[in-house]
Amino acid sequence: TFTMVTIRSRKLADGTVRYTAQIRVKCEGAQVYQESQIFAQKQTAQARRHRAGQSRWGDGQGNDRPRRA
């Protein structure tokens, strides 16, 4: 199981910046899960990245991995 989290910033028309945390989980080379969330603060997006590493997808070594359909 491999979890990849990307944080991207985007400036809106009114000048404010939003941060998107995109989470992708791969198992045996196939993408098995994807989600994205938008945050107003970069710190909140980084906290989401940290939680993604500790979530239901196991320890990153293939333990407790999701099953492919």
Side-chain angles (χ1 to χ4, degrees), residues 13-67:
D14 64 0
T16 60
V17 178
R18 294 291 185 249
Y19 299 91
T20 303
Q22 184 176 35
I23 301 165
R24 292 181 181 203
V25 178
K26 289 188 174 187
C27 182
E28 299 175 12
Q31 183 173 312
V32 295
Y33 181 76
Q34 175 184 340
E35 87 175 59
S36 62
Q37 290 179 300
I38 300 172
F39 301 95
Q41 297 177 343
K42 187 173 186 177
Q43 183 178 8
T44 309
Q46 290 171 335
R48 179 63 185 109
R49 175 194 330 193
H50 180 70
R51 286 193 316 270
Q54 298 175 344
S55 69
R56 64 190 129 172
W57 305 111
D59 59 8
Q61 304 299 316
N63 300 322
D64 302 317
R65 67 182 183 203
R67 300 288 178 210

